[in-house]
Amino acid sequence: MTFMSKKGYLWYCCMVGACCMILNGYDSSTFNAVQGSKNFMNYFGNPTPEVVGSVNTAYTVGGVLSGFFISAPISDTFGRKWTIHIGCGIIIISTLVSTFTPATIGGFVAGRALTGIGQGLALPAGPVYINEMAPSEDRGKIMSFWQIFFGLGAFLAYWINYACTQYTAQLGDWDWKIVMLCQLLAPLTIMTGLLFCPETPRWYIQHDNVEAATKVLHMIRDDPEKIQNEVQDIAQAIAFEKEVNNGRYAPLWRDKSVRYRFLLALGLNIGQQFTGQGSLVLYSTIIYKKVFSDNRQIQLINALNSTFGILFTLNATWIADLFGRRPLFLIGAAGMAMCMFIVAAVVTETPTSENGAKAQPVGIATVFLMFFFAFFYKPSWGATVWIWTTEIFPMNVRAQAIAMASQSQSVASTILQQIFPIFLDKKGFYAMYMFGAINVVLFTFVWFLVPETKAVTLEQMDTLFGGVDHTHKGAEILQEKAENLATEVHMVEETKVTPKST
């Protein structure tokens, strides 16, 4: 990429990594969208809410298994790039399975499980790649595009689906198969883009290849002195972690500082799903059927919501590094709680017509409040949870911790997927009161426990959370090794010059 500036090339590499979230955004919106297709429902024998929940659960279980146990070892051994490549390859296979499965829900479930496995590999590796490439002063801005690309994936899924709903009679079963098949676009784009991206400098240093790491940094940084300092900091931190806190998973529990960070990350990632957004993404079609009767109108609302979601998330690109992560978390939780309480009251306290829909003013108010909820969620608990999670862990457990923390979203989502469709079916919008209360709890959690990480380098996070400075301790270890080596060399030289006794 010689035609790009160094900063331009940095952004290119990070945006290719961020495209991994298009996989998640498109997929999570696809199944939600096609549930509104009568052709889809008829093709699979009109599955019950319990079966719908099991379809999503298959995806989640696949993601949890690969995310918890497979992604990190591959990422640490073969690199972040190869992990993303493998995940994208599996998603290509799963897309073909889901699209062309015979008319049995079991085949579709298998495709969803494969999709989960592919995403479980690629999604943890993406943010690790971005954070290990981006400088600390731009990390929040760049990482916010992770959530923007989720919105872009949802945008594509909903608008493609909306276009297909306009020609349902002509397309037949292809009104949902086209939506599924277009999922091929994202993994093919990512795999092509990665061909022009290097591996991360921190991965190279972890594998004792300082020369390659320095070469990569010269491709994406302008200041030679800062490059040398960055290489030194990374090498010192990794030296400490290998010497004192070695291991793949054990340091997550053995090191008090890392354990505290991991538990906070789990809380934030699980909390992200319990804000209500996860259920809205997966079941907005079913939710809006409680208010509207026309499927085309519902799909248009979904498409517009995904469009505005991208615009709302853009706020994180300048707020996260300007004001910090904590203000975004707190304002977001307060705003989401307000929206959930109000929309629950609006829908539950107004009459329902004979066709099952609400009056037009109630429908307008509901849509406005759901969009307003997204306004608070997208830049805060959408983008900032990923920013915060991916920047707080040391190198030796980064891939593992991010994989496990991010997949805790899937665990939380699985629980909600089993409960929420039934709860919504039985109680309607009273379910939103639950989400409002949860957001109040999340506000309290952040207020008392979550520290600010704005502008802190990856190698300095340890001191922020009460741990030892890995770069300082690593420097001492390297110095001690150098002195020991010098002593050994000196002793060898003395042996050579000392005459043998006769």
Side-chain angles (χ1 to χ4, degrees):
M1 294 283 179
T2 54
F3 58 89
M4 285 188 185
S5 67
K6 291 183 178 182
K7 191 156 191 175
Y9 185 55
L10 166 69
W11 275 85
Y12 167 80
C13 294
C14 291
M15 291 305 101
V16 171
C19 281
C20 290
M21 201 57 167
I22 296 179
L23 302 171
N24 187 241
Y26 191 96
D27 179 76
S28 62
S29 304
T30 296
F31 184 55
N32 176 36
V34 299
Q35 285 179 73
S37 167
K38 291 182 180 179
N39 290 315
F40 174 83
M41 300 300 284
N42 291 335
Y43 188 83
F44 290 112
N46 294 302
T48 63
E50 290 81 4
V51 173
V52 169
S54 68
V55 172
N56 279 320
T57 301
Y59 158 80
T60 304
V61 170
V64 169
L65 290 176
S66 62
F68 265 73
F69 304 111
I70 305 174
S71 179
I74 294 176
S75 184
D76 282 343
T77 304
F78 300 105
R80 308 349 181 172
K81 283 179 57 180
W82 270 110
T83 311
I84 297 171
H85 269 301
I86 295 169
C88 287
I90 293 174
I91 290 171
I92 289 172
I93 296 170
S94 71
T95 300
L96 297 175
V97 171
S98 298
T99 304
F100 298 109
T101 181
T104 170
I105 198 67
F108 193 79
V109 169
R112 294 289 296 165
L114 280 174
T115 300
I117 292 171
Q119 289 194 27
L121 292 175
L123 259 61
V128 173
Y129 183 85
I130 295 169
N131 273 277
E132 292 184 357
M133 295 287 281
S136 60
E137 63 270 18
D138 294 327
R139 194 173 59 235
K141 184 190 303 179
I142 293 174
M143 194 58 208
S144 65
F145 279 85
W146 183 255
Q147 184 65 28
I148 290 173
F149 279 23
F150 177 93
L152 179 59
F155 170 88
L156 292 171
Y158 282 128
W159 280 110
I160 291 171
N161 182 70
Y162 177 69
C164 289
T165 61
Q166 305 306 301
Y167 303 96
T168 300
Q170 298 94 318
L171 291 172
D173 287 335
W174 280 98
D175 75 334
W176 64 269
K177 288 187 175 184
I178 288 174
V179 181
M180 298 299 302
L181 198 59
C182 285
Q183 193 169 9
L184 292 171
L185 295 174
L188 290 172
T189 301
I190 293 167
M191 293 176 79
T192 303
L194 280 174
L195 297 176
F196 306 99
C197 297
E199 189 51 76
T200 72
R202 285 171 173 82
W203 185 85
Y204 277 128
I205 293 176
Q206 189 180 38
H207 290 262
D208 301 317
N209 194 342
V210 177
E211 182 181 352
T214 305
K215 182 179 178 181
V216 172
L217 285 170
H218 276 287
M219 295 166 67
I220 57 177
R221 303 279 195 274
D222 289 313
D223 190 331
E225 184 178 349
K226 286 186 177 180
I227 290 172
Q228 288 305 118
N229 291 336
E230 188 169 351
V231 169
Q232 185 179 34
D233 286 348
I234 297 170
Q236 290 170 351
I238 290 175
F240 170 80
E241 290 156 13
K242 285 183 176 181
E243 185 78 16
V244 178
N245 209 13
N246 197 19
R248 181 162 283 160
Y249 290 97
L252 288 172
W253 306 109
R254 188 171 59 224
D255 186 307
K256 183 179 178 181
S257 168
V258 175
R259 181 173 66 245
Y260 179 60
R261 280 175 268 182
F262 183 57
L263 292 174
L264 288 179
L266 288 177
L268 289 175
N269 281 270
I270 292 171
Q272 185 195 63
Q273 295 302 304
F274 278 88
T275 59
Q277 173 65 15
S279 298
L280 293 179
V281 169
L282 290 170
Y283 298 110
S284 64
T285 297
I286 298 174
I287 291 169
Y288 285 131
K289 280 182 178 179
K290 300 288 183 182
V291 182
F292 301 98
S293 57
D294 185 353
N295 180 56
R296 287 185 299 177
Q297 190 176 29
I298 291 171
Q299 298 310 324
L300 177 60
I301 293 169
N302 282 334
L304 289 171
N305 193 14
S306 66
T307 304
F308 279 97
I310 297 173
L311 301 176
F312 296 154
T313 310
L314 284 170
N315 288 323
T317 62
W318 62 275
I319 295 176
D321 282 330
L322 183 62
F323 297 109
R325 289 49 160 157
R326 270 176 58 86
L328 276 168
F329 281 138
L330 294 170
I331 294 171
M336 290 187 295
M338 176 188 69
C339 291
M340 283 299 186
F341 286 134
I342 296 175
V343 76
V346 167
V347 176
T348 58
E349 302 302 322
T350 53
T352 303
S353 64
E354 293 182 0
N355 65 355
K358 292 284 184 177
Q360 186 179 27
V362 176
I364 293 172
T366 301
V367 172
F368 172 78
L369 286 164
M370 291 295 96
F371 279 42
F372 203 37
F373 175 92
F375 172 79
F376 285 109
Y377 170 83
K378 292 294 184 180
S380 59
W381 288 80
T384 310
V385 164
W386 284 100
I387 295 171
W388 197 90
T389 300
T390 56
E391 67 187 0
I392 62 171
F393 293 107
M395 178 73 189
N396 63 322
V397 296
R398 185 171 296 143
Q400 299 89 306
I402 291 173
M404 295 174 73
S406 61
Q407 286 306 317
S408 69
Q409 295 180 19
S410 299
V411 174
S413 180
T414 300
I415 296 170
L416 283 174
Q417 286 163 19
Q418 294 302 310
I419 297 172
F420 184 74
I422 301 170
F423 191 9
L424 184 67
D425 185 55
K426 301 294 184 184
K427 298 296 183 180
F429 266 69
Y430 284 104
M432 304 306 166
Y433 282 118
M434 173 186 72
F435 289 129
I438 290 172
N439 281 298
V440 172
V441 173
L442 292 175
F443 180 95
T444 307
F445 174 78
V446 173
W447 182 271
F448 288 105
L449 296 175
V450 177
E452 182 58 69
T453 56
K454 181 184 74 170
V456 181
T457 66
L458 298 182
E459 282 68 44
Q460 293 172 345
M461 286 291 175
D462 303 286
T463 55
L464 176 67
F465 287 91
V468 299
D469 187 334
H470 286 200
T471 57
H472 178 70
K473 292 293 183 181
E476 292 178 355
I477 290 171
L478 291 176
Q479 179 65 29
E480 183 180 347
K481 286 183 176 181
E483 290 174 355
N484 291 339
L485 180 61
T487 301
E488 290 175 8
V489 171
H490 181 68
M491 290 175 66
V492 171
E493 292 297 326
E494 282 189 341
T495 303
K496 288 181 179 179
V497 299
T498 302
K500 295 181 179 179
S501 57
T502 59

